[in-house]
Every structure is written in structure tokens, then in C-alpha cells.
Amino acid sequence: MKELRYQLDLLKAMNQKLSTKERMYHIICDTVSGAFLYYSFDKNEATTLGKWHEFFDFEIREARDITKIFDAVEEEYVLPLREAFFPEKKSRDSAMSDCRLKDSRIWLHFSIQIIYNENGRPTDKIVSIDNITKYKAQNEELMYMAYYDGLTGLYNRNYFVRLLGEFLRRAEEEDNIVSLLIIDIDDFRKVNDGLGIVVGDELVQLFGSFLKEFSEENIIVCHMNSDVYCMAIYNPVGNRSVEHIHKKIQQRTKDAFRLSGGQELKITVSVGVAEYPEAAQNALELINCAEIVMFKGKALGKNRIQYFNTPILEDFLQSVEIETKLKEATFNKSFELNFQPQFYAGNRKLRGVEALIRWQDKPGHFISPAVFIPLAEKNGTIIPIGSWVVEESIRQYAKWREQYGVDFVISINISAMQYRKDDFVDELIKILNKYQVDPSLVELEITESILIDDFNTVSEKLRILKDYGIKISLDDFGTGFSSLSYLKKLPIDTLKIDKSFIDTVLSDSTTRIITESIINMVKSLGFESIAEGVEEEQQYRYLHAIGCDTIQGYLLGRPQSSEQIDKLLQNML
Ligand code: C2E
Ligand code: CA
Ligand code: CA
């Protein structure tokens, strides 16, 4: 009896221990974030635990119920999950699989474990199931960021380069070609500066969605940066030919883009084209080549398509070399000034001299300012170079004035970028004071290009200079878009008629009519006119006859060193 009581107590104690364990076990299962499925092979019995009902609306009681899980997941994941669900079939301990549920679109991670007995027979299966939706979304976003550009939804540069590499490999294998287009919106800076970057971004987006329409198996489109897009075409024929696509782009840009704020923006684009294998052998080089020719197209007047060719590349490589040397020369100030005299047409007396920069990159070898000034404007070295020119020409001029005491004008060429500098006016005035030079004998030559970007700010600055007494001269008149109407609005004193007019003024009647009317207009506005590049006596006589005030050109004097000008001034005494 005693023995029986003892047995009973033991059983009770064991039961209590068991229910404590079971409780603990339920609590744990309820607090974990996932769900579990336990299956006993011996009993063919299954139990679901944890957050099972957050994922599934059915129970699993035995082996054959397991198919319900496969029915609940999206089609494309059924097979891999089925594979993973029965590791015991391949005598394996475990397996894993990710899949998405059909209705809730929740992502689940399944981890399946098998326990074997000592004979190698499976006894238990434990499946743990975790909700990985959040992680998958983050992952997708990362993948998106890795492949696409956030603004346009087009491929980003990195991914594009990879895909282009694949196109090139395929083209090599199949002996085919790949065309690469760089498409750049013309004057985009004006949109960004004038209308703000929000509008700029919207334009980039709109044009990007238009380009996206070209995407297909053999055409990939990407947004490189800012207003630059790239398109790679595998085997460019028929509807995929560069000509066809360019025509479509041109057709689209004939119409304006309508922005959400109601504005309508018309754009033009410059396109550079390079072809594999002709232009380059790898993706980055091909992009480079297309970019180089695109810039060439821009320099030739924008809104055009420019195909790669070797001379363009050589030109480019040469300009890169010059640019490098130019930086060095700027640092060492290894420039000189030449001065070209200008004479009054009436009495052939000296009116002034124009300072023209000279650069010898090696002894006896000159690089023309027509070549390096545009490069200096591009890479910013025009700022120190320009400051040097201003100081050096005024220093030299002050010396002449002191030595010879004659009145004449010193003309200095100023680039747009120099005007944009906030302290341009102050710096100039400081130099005039330093060398005690009368501002009314200093003339700044500007070109129309500086007016295009920001007419109001520039004309305001010109006004300050003019109020200070400095002369303003409009250079190369007739080569830009020469709007006569804004001549009236500008505080200028002098207009320089470009050499291209003078060259044909005697042979071409249209040029003659234009030149005469320019000179008449200049007179009526009270400006002075200077003809540039006068090489022949006949040109001189004609210009004098039609009332041109001043003549500059090889006929009367080439650009020359300061020592040669010394002689000229001595002769005038
Ligand atoms: P630009 O201001 O139009 O200067 C006139 C150019 O025409 C000079 O070329 C001059 O040598 C050339 N020239 C003058 N008369 C004749 C002629 O009768 N026949 C021919 N064939 N040419 C003539 P250069 O010195 O090569 O200068 C070229 C351009 O470089 C200048 O054109 C100007 O835009 C720029 N430049 C020169 N010096 C400077 C400078 O110090 N600063 C800036 N920003 N630009 C400069
Ligand atoms: Ca000039
Ligand atoms: Ca000129």
C-alpha cells in the first residue's frame, strides 16, 4: 500500500512537472515571432505551434495535409518548397526555402530539420517558419538602388555598364555590332538656373520616360547623370537603327514637354554615337568615345547627332594634352603679351592697342589663344590667366604712358567667366589705382556669349564699369546671334566688326549691305566702330569711305611684342 501511494505521488509529481514544461513550451512558442510545424513519423501526427494562424488558415494534422501549404504559396515557389520540405527523401538533415504566400503576399522562410534514430530512420520533422517580408522589401530596395536610377527609373550608370559589357561579349561571339548613344539635353543649365532644380528634375524625368519607351530586349537605356542619358543598341538595324531612333527623338523634341506646374518646355538634344567594335573594345571606352563626339557636336552648334571618327578622337586627345600643359603654364605664369595696334581710319593715327596673349609651350612652338583660351574657359584656368592678362597689360600700359606721355587706349579681352566672378570689378579698380591709370583709356572687350547666360547681371556689371569711366567694346560682332535690339540696351562704347565680314566685304554684296548698315547703326547710337582683320589696302579704303572709325589688322600692324610697340610710340613723338 505504501508502495502504491509512493508510486502515485511520483506520478503526480511527474505530471505536474510535465504540465509546467508544456506551459513553458507553449509560452515560448507564443512569444516567438514565427510558427512551427512538428511532425512525428512514427505516429503520422502533426502539430502546429507559434504564430501559425498569422500565416495559414488551416491546420496540419497528418502527412497528407502538408500539401495545403504548397497550395497556399505562389506558383513559382511551389516546386522549390516541395523539394525542400522532404530532406528525409535524400537522407539529409535539413533544408531551407523562401516563398511568398498567394493571398497575403507575405514572404516566409522555411527551415526544415529531420531527426533520425540510431538506425537512420527519420523519427521527427520540425519546420520553423519566419516572416521575412520586411527583410525582403529592404533587399528589393537595395537591389533597386543597385540597378536603377531613383529619379527616372532607368538603369543607373553602373548597371548599364555591366549590361553593355554583356552586349559587347555577345557581339563578339556573334560577330555583330553595338551602337552606343549619349544623349544630352542642350542648355540644361539654363533650365536648372533659370527655373530651379525641381523643374530641372521633372524635365529629366519626363525626357527619361520618353527614352524608356525604346527599351526592349536589344536596347538598354540608362540615366548617366544630370541631363545625360545613354542608350545601347545590339545589332542596330531597322526600327533599332540609330537613324530611326534619332529621328524619333527629334520628332518628340519638336513638341514641348508639359510640366506639372503648367509650364511648357521645349528642348533640343545633342547625340554622340560610337560603335563597337569600330570605336572601342570595352564598355567604358565606348561610352567615352560617344561622349567625346557628343561634346564635339555641341561645339558645332548643338541639336545634332555626331558620329565617332578618328580625327575627332585625336583632336580630343590633343586638347587633353594641351589642357595638362596649360595648368602647368598657368602655375608658372609662362605667358607673354603681344599688342596689336589700332588706327583711326581718317588720319591713320594710333587709336590704341589690343593686348593678345601668347603661349609658348616649348621654345619656338606657340599654341594659338584661339585653341587654348576655350580650354582655359572650360577648365577654369581662365580666371588666373585672365587676372594675369589684366594686371600685365595695365602694368605695361602705365609704363608706356609714363615713358611717352601719349594718349591711346589699351584694349583687354575678358572672358565670360571672369565677369561672373564677384570681385571682378573691385579687382580691376584696384589694379587701375595701383598703376595710376586713367579708366577712360582702358577698354574691355567682351563677346556676346557672356550676354546669353545672364543678360541682366552682366549688363548691370557693365554699367558699373562704364560709370567708373571704363570703355566697353563688343568683340566679334556678327559671329554670334548679334541681336541688334539688345545693342541699344547695353552700355557699350565700341563695336568690333568681325574679320569674317571684312574678308568678304569687297566680294559679296550681302556682306556689304550688312556691314554698311551696322556702321550706320553704330553711328546713330553714338558708338565707335572698329573693323578687325583688315589685310588689304582696298578693304581699308572701302571701310573708311563707309564711315568706319578705326582699323585693326595685319595691313597696318600685326600683334607685336612690347619692345616693338616701344618703337612705334617713339616714332610718334
Ligand atoms: P580676337 O579678340 O578677335 O583677336 C583678334 C585676333 O585676330 C587675334 O588672334 C589677331 O592676331 C588676329 N588678327 C588681327 N588682325 C588680323 C589680320 O589682319 N588677319 C588675320 N588673319 N588675323 C588677324 P589671336 O591673337 O590668335 O587671338 C585669337 C583670339 O584669342 C582672340 O580673338 C581672343 O578671342 C582670344 N584671346 C587672345 N588673347 C586673349 C586674352 O588675353 N584673354 C582672352 N580672354 N582672350 C584672348
Ligand atoms: Ca578681341
Ligand atoms: Ca575679335
Side-chain angles (χ1 to χ4, degrees), residues 82-95 112-114 116 125:
R82 219 180 249 282
E83 279 274 295
F85 225 90
F86 305 103
E88 68 277 12
K89 288 189 181 161
K90 291 179 184 151
S91 306
R92 288 172 50 191
D93 292 341
S94 63
I112 302 107
Q113 301 274 341
I114 306 292
Y116 295 90
K125 176 184 295 220

Side-chain angles (χ1 to χ4, degrees), residues 7-49:
Q7 292 267 351
L8 206 65
D9 283 351
L10 195 67
L11 214 63
K12 259 188 191 164
M14 274 172 70
N15 254 343
Q16 209 169 8
K17 206 169 166 191
L18 251 175
S19 69
T20 315
K21 266 198 171 166
E22 195 167 314
R23 219 175 132 244
M24 186 174 81
Y25 163 77
H26 276 289
I27 288 171
I28 291 173
C29 286
D30 284 347
T31 44
V32 293
S33 58
F36 296 93
L37 169 67
Y38 169 77
Y39 174 73
S40 159
F41 284 89
D42 291 341
K43 297 184 189 149
N44 184 22
E45 255 178 38
T47 319
T48 59
L49 300 146

Side-chain angles (χ1 to χ4, degrees), residues 55-56 69-78 81 97-110 131-133 136-137 140:
F55 309 142
F56 306 108
I69 300 179
F70 305 141
D71 291 341
V73 305
E74 286 183 354
E75 182 104 22
E76 59 186 297
Y77 304 107
V78 174
L81 184 62
S97 183
D98 289 350
C99 53
R100 192 154 62 180
L101 294 181
K102 253 188 217 155
D103 302 329
S104 57
R105 296 182 66 78
I106 290 175
W107 272 99
L108 294 179
H109 173 75
F110 286 81
N131 184 344
I132 53 161
T133 312
K136 277 277 179 189
E140 255 171 41

Side-chain angles (χ1 to χ4, degrees), residues 427-441:
E427 199 183 292
L428 180 70
I429 291 172
K430 232 188 249 165
I431 293 172
L432 292 178
N433 288 336
K434 181 173 167 190
Y435 294 99
Q436 300 274 297
V437 166
D438 176 359
S440 70
L441 295 172

Side-chain angles (χ1 to χ4, degrees), residues 392-437:
E392 181 56 19
S393 40
I394 289 175
R395 188 195 63 78
Q396 177 60 62
Y397 177 73
K399 215 171 131 196
W400 284 326
R401 290 268 304 150
E402 199 187 89
Q403 231 169 324
Y404 305 106
V406 281
D407 273 354
F408 63 102
V409 174
I410 174 86
S411 298
I412 307 170
N413 292 285
I414 306 287
S415 292
M417 209 188 241
Q418 289 172 266
Y419 272 98
R420 281 200 214 109
K421 253 180 65 190
D422 289 338
D423 59 353
F424 174 74
V425 177
D426 291 344
E427 199 183 292
L428 180 70
I429 291 172
K430 232 188 249 165
I431 293 172
L432 292 178
N433 288 336
K434 181 173 167 190
Y435 294 99
Q436 300 274 297
V437 166

Side-chain angles (χ1 to χ4, degrees), residues 354 413 445 447 474-477 496-499 532 552:
E354 175 179 2
N413 292 285
E445 295 197 3
T447 57
L474 193 59
D475 203 357
D476 302 340
F477 189 77
K496 295 186 84 169
I497 303 163
D498 192 66
K499 180 174 180 295
E532 280 193 290
Q552 181 179 348

